[in-house]
């Protein structure tokens, strides 16, 4: 198993651990280190919330749909297409929820407004998940511990996903780990023996 953390994570040590070394490696080999889709395409996720025959509120993830851009007209056309493909009717929709971006909730040219023109019953509610995110951002900005926790958590998930998605990156990590391990054994920082220093796998988050 690869060590996630090192016993000394300062800049001048070779024992900083897998996470920090992986993060540094990705930054060195990717000028634009971002969490965009590997196909470089804009995507829109669609989730439906409904009430079943027993009165239980349920949510279902419909899918992720490719869109050419994020303009309100394009998003509206895509939603109409998905509804048609799934034999759904916009007349049965009773609510819609997005974040506060102008292309989503604009009063006249936002996605909200276009859907309301088709169905006056589709009342708009600001996405509660987005509101929670905004609250967390404010809390994180005012509490260093909270900010550091979510920042590290985000980096951990992104790094693991980026590494696990590429065989080449895995090979680079293994080779880097092998060289560091050889160096540490050479200077006496790591013990050798049966069952020690075995690299097994990189687990996806």
């Amino acid at each position: 198993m690869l060590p996630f953390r090192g016993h000394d994570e300062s800049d001048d040590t070779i024992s900083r651990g897998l996470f920090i070394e992986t993060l540094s490696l990705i930054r060195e080999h990717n000028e634009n280190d971002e969490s965009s889709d590997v196909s470089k395409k804009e995507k829109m996720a669609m989730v439906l919330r409904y009430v079943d025959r027993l009165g239980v509120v349920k949510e279902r993830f419909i899918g992720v749909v490719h869109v050419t851009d994020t303009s309100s007209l394009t998003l509206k056309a895509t939603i109409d297409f998905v509804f048609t493909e799934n034999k759904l009717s916009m007349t049965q929709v009773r609510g819609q929820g997005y974040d506060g971006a102008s292309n989503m909730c604009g009063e006249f040219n936002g996605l909200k407004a276009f859907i309301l023109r088709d169905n006056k019953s589709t009342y708009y509610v600001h996405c509660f998940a987005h509101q929670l995110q905004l609250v967390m951002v404010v809390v994180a900005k005012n509490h260093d511990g909270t900010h550091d926790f979510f920042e590290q958590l985000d980096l951990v998930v992104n790094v693991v996903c980026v590494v696990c998605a590429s065989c080449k990156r895995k090979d680079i990590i293994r080779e880097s780990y092998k060289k560091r391990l050889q160096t540490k054994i050479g200077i006496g920082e790591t013990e050798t023996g049966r069952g020690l220093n075995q690299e097994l796998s990189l687990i996806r988050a």
Side-chain angles (χ1 to χ4, degrees), residues 158-177:
N158 285 336
V159 166
V160 172
C161 290
V162 167
V163 172
C164 290
S166 169
C167 294
K168 292 181 179 179
R169 292 192 182 108
K170 285 185 179 180
D171 291 339
I172 292 173
I173 291 294
R174 290 189 180 103
E175 187 62 29
S176 176
Y177 174 71

Side-chain angles (χ1 to χ4, degrees), residues 24-179:
S24 300
L25 182 68
I26 292 175
R27 285 177 175 170
E28 291 174 4
H29 288 78
N30 294 274
E31 295 181 0
N32 298 314
D33 186 18
E34 58 184 18
S35 58
S36 59
D37 182 77
V38 293
S39 63
K40 305 301 180 185
K41 295 180 179 180
E42 291 283 0
K43 301 291 181 71
M44 177 174 65
M46 293 188 62
V47 178
L48 292 184
R49 177 182 293 141
Y50 64 95
V51 180
D52 66 11
R53 294 177 180 178
L54 299 177
V56 179
V57 178
K58 295 184 177 180
E59 284 188 347
R60 290 294 181 269
F61 173 70
I62 300 300
V64 177
V65 187
H66 168 59
V67 292
T68 55
D69 58 70
T70 57
S71 67
S72 53
L73 285 173
T74 300
L75 298 179
K76 175 62 166 59
T78 304
I79 291 174
D80 289 340
F81 172 78
V82 172
F83 266 57
T84 302
E85 287 290 300
N86 290 276
K87 298 180 180 179
L88 300 172
S89 174
M90 188 63 70
T91 60
Q92 294 180 309
V93 178
R94 293 296 177 266
Q96 50 181 324
Y98 322 107
D99 60 23
S102 60
N103 66 321
M104 305 303 284
C105 66
E107 190 67 27
F108 301 105
N109 294 315
L111 177 60
K112 171 195 76 171
F114 289 137
I115 292 179
L116 278 170
R117 290 172 192 171
D118 290 347
N119 182 357
K120 299 297 183 182
S121 298
T122 54
Y123 299 104
Y124 168 74
V125 179
H126 192 92
C127 177
F128 288 109
H130 185 248
Q131 289 179 332
L132 177 60
Q133 179 188 11
L134 295 177
V135 171
M136 293 176 65
V137 169
V138 173
V139 171
K141 285 182 178 179
N142 290 278
H143 296 82
D144 293 338
T146 306
H147 176 272
D148 293 341
F149 170 76
F150 282 105
E151 186 177 61
Q152 294 300 316
L153 181 63
D154 180 61
L155 289 173
V156 168
V157 173
N158 285 336
V159 166
V160 172
C161 290
V162 167
V163 172
C164 290
S166 169
C167 294
K168 292 181 179 179
R169 292 192 182 108
K170 285 185 179 180
D171 291 339
I172 292 173
I173 291 294
R174 290 189 180 103
E175 187 62 29
S176 176
Y177 174 71
K178 179 180 177 181
K179 291 179 180 178

